[in-house]
Amino acid sequence: MTATDPRYPIGRFTYEHPLADAERAAAIEAITQAPWLLREAVAGLDDAQLDTPYREGGWTVRQVVHHVPDSHLNAYTRFKLALTEERPTVRPYDEAAWAELPDGRTGSIDVSLALLEALHERWVRTLQAMAPGDFARTIYHPEHAKEMSLDQLLAMYAWHGRHHVAHVTELRRRKGW
């Protein structure tokens, strides 16, 4: 997979080590900016454009917009669990099935954009209040059958926001929107 693969316009997520302070700060900043970047990416799109798949066989732009807060709500909950419990087991969810529910297929994106903004305000406040050692706390993810640190989750969700914004911006570039 290269960066030109429409499934991974910014490349696949990689994580090889705990984040350095500057990397952690950059990841928190990416999470801070994600709602505004997504809002900017979809600005001015009409319903036909929102209902266009970002790639052959992929979700529509509308589904992508609804997916991001669905995913990040789960992430926020996983952070809170890891901060308040020892190695909690998190519950996976079927993101593809969620995207096919009526709210994901046809719902107004304004609701999800507002939800993402409010959610990220709370999440960033939590992230900024965490001590460096808190990022070593872990969850157990049964879908991946492994423990994951909050550092790893932070890096993954910083990537995740950029990943989905790029789905929209690359589609706009290709279509000349």
Side-chain angles (χ1 to χ4, degrees), residues 16 30 39 54 80-81 94 106-108 136-137 144-145 147 150 158 170 174:
E16 298 175 15
R39 184 176 286 282
Y54 74 88
K80 299 280 264 194
L81 288 169
D94 185 343
T106 63
S108 168
R137 295 183 67 87
H144 301 293
E147 245 179 87
L150 291 184
E170 283 300 302
R174 287 192 315 271

Side-chain angles (χ1 to χ4, degrees), residues 1-115:
M1 260 30 72
T2 67
T4 59
D5 182 334
R7 292 173 298 171
Y8 299 98
I10 64 168
R12 285 185 172 269
F13 171 71
T14 60
Y15 176 82
E16 298 175 15
H17 56 81
L19 300 177
D21 291 344
E23 292 170 313
R24 192 173 294 127
I28 292 170
E29 182 59 23
I31 288 172
T32 301
Q33 294 300 317
W36 316 112
L37 294 174
L38 185 59
R39 184 176 286 282
E40 185 177 278
V42 299
L45 295 180
D46 62 29
D47 281 335
Q49 291 166 323
L50 290 171
D51 293 329
T52 301
Y54 74 88
R55 66 172 176 86
E56 176 94 20
W59 289 340
T60 65
V61 172
R62 184 183 310 274
Q63 287 173 302
V64 168
V65 171
H66 293 309
H67 162 73
V68 175
D70 285 348
S71 174
H72 290 198
L73 276 166
N74 278 282
Y76 175 65
T77 301
R78 290 167 181 177
F79 268 79
K80 299 280 264 194
L81 288 169
L83 290 168
T84 59
E85 300 175 19
E86 290 303 317
R87 195 184 174 262
T89 298
V90 299
R91 189 177 187 302
Y93 70 103
D94 185 343
E95 64 184 35
W98 284 33
E100 292 300 325
L101 292 171
D103 66 321
R105 291 198 59 75
T106 63
S108 168
I109 64 168
D110 293 333
V111 173
S112 283
L113 291 169
L115 174 60

